[in-house]
Amino acid sequence: MTVGEIFLESLSTGVITEREVNWLAAQQTNFDRPEEAAAIRLGRLMDQGEINLGCRLSESMLHHQEVLVDWIEPLGRRRHRAAA
């Protein structure tokens, strides 16, 4: 795990995990100047609500949710409407 990886993943998903925050806090004395700047930027983005503390869903779970919402639920709703 690196500051750069955490920074990019958090920016792209809008989420930072508790594990990543703990790692950043534990490693901050070892950061060089660019890493320190990235960590400070992450903190500011969290303060602004741009990045939220949470968890990321795996790709397989995201695909499952997409199938559930786009295919399974609409089919079930149509069937229930027709029966009513």
Side-chain angles (χ1 to χ4, degrees):
M1 186 176 320
T2 67
V3 177
E5 290 171 340
I6 294 171
F7 186 79
L8 291 175
E9 188 71 22
S10 297
L11 281 179
S12 67
T13 63
V15 173
I16 189 167
T17 66
E18 184 177 356
R19 180 174 169 244
E20 291 167 340
V21 171
N22 290 339
W23 184 86
L24 286 168
Q27 298 297 318
Q28 64 185 342
T29 57
N30 302 321
F31 293 164
D32 59 19
R33 197 171 188 103
E35 290 172 324
E36 186 176 337
I40 290 170
R41 181 73 178 133
L42 276 172
R44 289 185 180 148
L45 290 168
M46 288 176 69
D47 289 344
Q48 296 167 356
E50 298 291 324
I51 294 177
N52 297 294
L53 183 62
C55 63
R56 292 187 198 97
L57 298 176
S58 66
E59 288 295 320
S60 62
M61 181 63 176
L62 291 175
H63 178 69
H64 173 74
Q65 288 294 348
E66 181 181 295
V67 169
L68 182 66
V69 170
D70 294 343
W71 294 96
I72 297 171
E73 286 184 359
L75 292 173
R77 284 191 211 120
R78 286 188 197 124
R79 192 175 311 136
H80 289 296
R81 281 188 217 142

